[in-house]
Amino acid sequence: MPGPKWLKDAVFYEIYPQSFYDSNGDGIGDLPGIIAKLDYISSLGVNAIWLNPCFESPFQDAGYDVSDFCKVAARYGSNADLKQLFKQAHKRGMKVILDLVAGHTSIEHPWFKESCKAEKNKYSNHFIWTDSWLSGAEGYRFINGYAERDGNCMINFFYCQPALNYGFNAPDPKCPWQLPMNHPDVKAVREELRKIMKFWLDMGCDGFRVDMASSLVRGPNAAAGIKELWHDYRSWFDKNYPDAILVSEWSNPALAVNAGFHIDFLVHFGLPGYTSLFRKEEYRVPNSPYTGGNSYFDREGKGDAKVFAEEIIEQLRHTAGKGYLSVPTGNHDVGRIRQGRSIEELKCVYTCIFTLPGVPFLYYGDEIGMDYVCDLVSKEGGYNRTGARTPMQWDKGGKAGFSSASPKNFYLPLDPKAGRPTVAEQEKDQDSLLNFVRKLIKLRRDNPALASDGEFKPLFAERNTYPFVYERILYAKRFVIAVNPSGKQGITEFGLPNADKAKAIVDSGCKLELRPGTVRLTMPPASYAIYSI
Ligand code: GLC
Ligand code: CA
């Protein structure tokens, strides 16, 4: 079962809470601020929201270092505010999922503080400690010299994020400190995570985006262990919260969906397709596995649509009928999709993103084409991610309508570029990117063939060749989507049954001509079209 019905036409909006809207003038976005903007979010046509972590934290990794999983951080408001957000979103037909940082805590978490103590206690094995300050294990990273107890503690990401202990599959006999997955202390951690999920689900939350979902179990058979772990949670969801969902940060839908997730992202790490299509090489996060070729969505026209089309088909082969892949416009960990692109070029990119199978995610601000802000000093462990986390641009005033605070007290500086895009201006313009995004989302949600389950069939997808053309099909309904991001005219011919019935519903000057047995599509530079049949 791919999951609850509402996923069939789902489109998500990702909100980085500290940068969305500040309701109380302290310069940091907050939950009442998000509630105040729910009508705007709903006007986009999305039916779900993903909120980045909003829990108690020392903010050494922007809240991905949690010190209390069941308490909203004071800077964002209170648990009552979050409950109110669930309620108000539901009233508008939108779901809300939270970020579940399942793999680690902050070093400030009381569990970790207890775990550091020399005297054995309930939390000693909540984290993964070696048995001596001199020991370690290859391939893992540890905090050394930190605790009173003798041993080093394994970390998941930054030094301040000790890994929770979901066990080893199978432990190395030479390292007796590695506990098996069925060890009672390890099972206790699993139950703690379930309790956290239950706490929020009972309050009205609709599921979770699970941070670093593939990293929880270790050892030579980690993959099988991770699968077992998430299957366990998923069957608990199916039984007790059948309308709630689990979305993974895994980057391999074929594996993630078969491990029990409803949705998994294609993002910057893992498979090459997403990067090859959407990420200009000069803006790619360092160490991306995809080094060959350029972004397909680039005027220079040297990209590869084939690797992407093949990847989507392969992923669909493993996930169809069980769960969904997601192609996001971006997220808080990568550069902005706007980088190096004009607004018109973004329309071309979004024509593709919002007509792909699976469940699209729109990162806040991408609907107006917010740009990456270069050369910012790292904030809360953001490093090169910081520039994609700047305050939302609501209007063209000096504070961009983000907050009443003085801009020098903003969580992050605004994009300083003159003419930065704003919601207020784009609201007034029928042809704005904002209204174009609304149109695409509406089209998708009104037409099941264009939504999560419609079949995906490439009609023309080649290396270094433009355009990229594909069909979305469900029952008798078909759509042809064509994008030509290159700076040159793109011409192609392909077979298209019932082509005489094709009607352009989005078109930036393309020409579809009937030929005996085929159609000929001529696309001007940086153009896009959607035909319904
Ligand atoms: C995920 C988050 C990222 C965070 C990391 C550690 O990749 O998206 O922002 O820094 O996990 O929790
Ligand atoms: Ca605030």
Side-chain angles (χ1 to χ4, degrees):
M1 185 174 72
K5 262 215 196 79
W6 64 269
L7 285 182
K8 289 195 166 294
D9 65 343
V11 180
F12 277 75
Y13 191 65
E14 178 190 347
I15 298 179
Y16 194 66
Q18 48 272 61
S19 297
F20 198 58
Y21 182 57
D22 172 24
S23 72
N24 62 354
D26 65 357
I28 303 179
D30 46 52
L31 297 176
I34 297 173
I35 294 170
K37 295 293 186 185
L38 280 175
D39 286 333
Y40 167 76
I41 299 166
S42 156
S43 81
L44 299 172
V46 303
N47 59 351
I49 294 169
W50 156 31
L51 214 57
N52 287 110
C54 54
F55 316 108
E56 273 299 338
S57 163
F59 296 106
Q60 289 170 283
D61 185 14
Y64 280 95
D65 48 328
V66 179
S67 55
D68 187 340
F69 287 102
C70 293
K71 188 160 177 248
V72 165
R75 74 185 200 184
Y76 299 130
S78 63
N79 282 17
D81 291 326
L82 189 48
K83 189 171 177 180
Q84 184 64 10
L85 172 58
F86 297 147
K87 200 171 140 197
Q88 291 300 324
H90 292 164
K91 236 167 96 181
R92 292 163 176 82
M94 293 186 291
K95 308 279 184 183
V96 181
I97 68 167
L98 297 175
D99 217 308
L100 185 71
V101 189
H104 48 270
T105 68
S106 149
I107 40 171
E108 299 299 324
H109 196 292
W111 296 344
F112 184 66
K113 289 187 172 169
E114 283 301 304
S115 177
C116 284
K117 291 184 177 161
E119 196 173 306
K120 196 160 167 39
N121 61 57
K122 188 176 162 198
Y123 300 100
S124 300
N125 285 332
H126 252 49
F127 298 87
I128 307 167
W129 292 87
T130 66
D131 47 11
S132 145
W133 69 285
L134 294 167
S135 62
E138 252 195 62
Y140 300 112
R141 293 180 302 138
F142 297 89
I143 318 179
N144 309 74
Y146 188 80
E148 170 183 287
R149 83 187 259 177
D150 186 10
N152 299 318
C153 187
M154 194 177 287
I155 58 168
N156 234 12
F157 197 67
F158 289 151
Y159 90 94
C160 56
Q161 291 162 315
L164 281 162
N165 195 355
Y166 295 92
F168 284 73
N169 195 26
D172 179 348
K174 291 196 293 291
C175 300
W177 50 269
Q178 298 186 357
L179 303 182
M181 288 181 73
N182 62 3
H183 189 284
D185 292 356
V186 166
K187 285 268 180 176
V189 174
R190 193 188 282 215
E191 286 319 303
E192 288 292 355
L193 188 70
R194 201 188 311 267
K195 270 197 236 158
I196 294 163
M197 291 197 266
K198 181 168 169 30
F199 179 82
W200 294 114
L201 290 167
D202 289 345
M203 195 182 282
C205 144
D206 300 291
F208 303 93
R209 173 267 189 188
V210 181
D211 189 60
M212 297 178 65
S214 64
S215 74
L216 269 47
V217 176
R218 292 161 173 86
N221 303 323
I226 290 159
K227 203 167 162 181
E228 189 273 313
L229 180 80
W230 288 111
H231 267 297
D232 174 23
Y233 290 131
R234 171 63 186 267
S235 42
W236 177 72
F237 263 64
D238 286 349
K239 199 160 144 226
N240 300 287
Y241 303 96
D243 250 2
I245 60 151
L246 287 165
V247 183
S248 50
E249 183 198 32
W250 191 315
S251 271
N252 194 325
L255 296 179
V257 163
N258 286 294
F261 284 94
H262 295 86
I263 304 175
D264 182 39
F265 297 110
L266 290 174
V267 275
H268 53 294
F269 51 85
L271 306 165
Y274 177 82
T275 307
S276 73
L277 209 64
F278 300 111
R279 294 282 149 191
K280 288 179 178 256
E281 61 184 3
E282 62 269 37
Y283 302 124
R284 281 174 198 155
V285 169
N287 305 323
S288 156
Y290 190 80
T291 49
N294 296 359
S295 163
Y296 190 79
F297 283 93
D298 193 344
R299 265 158 298 179
E300 67 181 2
K302 289 190 190 149
D304 183 349
K306 196 172 174 175
V307 64
F308 177 77
E310 283 171 357
E311 184 175 295
I312 291 277
I313 287 169
E314 179 64 8
Q315 290 293 323
L316 289 171
R317 202 164 66 77
H318 293 283
T319 53
K322 297 187 219 165
Y324 299 110
L325 53 86
S326 172
V327 175
T329 61
N331 70 27
H332 61 290
D333 289 331
V334 297
R336 286 274 184 186
I337 197 141
R338 172 70 196 271
Q339 281 175 278
R341 296 189 175 106
S342 69
I343 292 275
E344 199 52 28
E345 285 166 345
L346 272 190
K347 288 185 180 171
C348 186
V349 179
Y350 292 169
T351 297
C352 177
I353 288 191
F354 289 107
T355 58
L356 287 172
V359 179
F361 277 61
L362 173 64
Y363 184 48
Y364 86 94
D366 282 350
E367 71 274 26
I368 53 170
M370 270 176 64
D371 204 352
Y372 181 83
V373 181
C374 296
D375 303 323
L376 290 181
V377 174
S378 175
K379 177 87 175 179
E380 298 182 345
Y383 299 100
N384 64 344
R385 307 174 293 182
T386 306
R389 300 174 173 186
T390 56
M392 178 70 175
Q393 295 154 198
W394 295 103
D395 64 38
K396 66 176 183 195
K399 299 177 181 184
F402 165 66
S403 164
S404 62
S406 154
K408 70 176 189 315
N409 296 327
F410 281 14
Y411 174 77
L412 277 172
L414 288 162
D415 184 349
K417 286 191 274 305
R420 62 182 173 226
T422 67
V423 172
E425 284 168 300
Q426 295 199 12
E427 286 285 6
K428 288 182 274 179
D429 174 4
Q430 267 312 304
D431 293 328
S432 65
L433 186 64
L434 173 62
N435 283 318
F436 187 72
V437 166
R438 285 178 171 141
K439 180 176 177 175
L440 289 177
I441 294 177
K442 179 163 170 28
L443 205 56
R444 179 179 182 101
R445 296 200 56 208
D446 287 347
N447 291 285
L450 279 173
S452 319
D453 292 310
E455 190 190 327
F456 169 80
K457 194 171 143 203
L459 294 171
F460 190 78
E462 294 303 324
R463 220 158 253 150
N464 298 331
T465 309
Y466 289 68
F468 173 31
V469 190
Y470 53 92
E471 239 181 324
R472 297 292 313 281
I473 309 162
L474 198 67
Y475 309 117
K477 189 71 206 161
R478 290 153 60 211
F479 289 88
V480 174
I481 297 97
V483 287
N484 175 28
S486 83
K488 291 194 201 110
Q489 187 184 60
I491 301 178
T492 178
E493 276 189 32
F494 47 87
L496 189 67
N498 298 325
D500 54 316
K501 298 205 176 67
K503 200 174 120 228
I505 45 178
V506 169
D507 181 9
S508 66
C510 309
K511 205 162 79 191
L512 190 70
E513 295 163 281
L514 298 182
R515 298 262 160 130
T518 67
V519 292
R520 182 182 169 91
L521 178 64
T522 308
M523 300 187 72
S527 62
Y528 43 88
I530 303 178
Y531 302 94
S532 105
I533 300 176

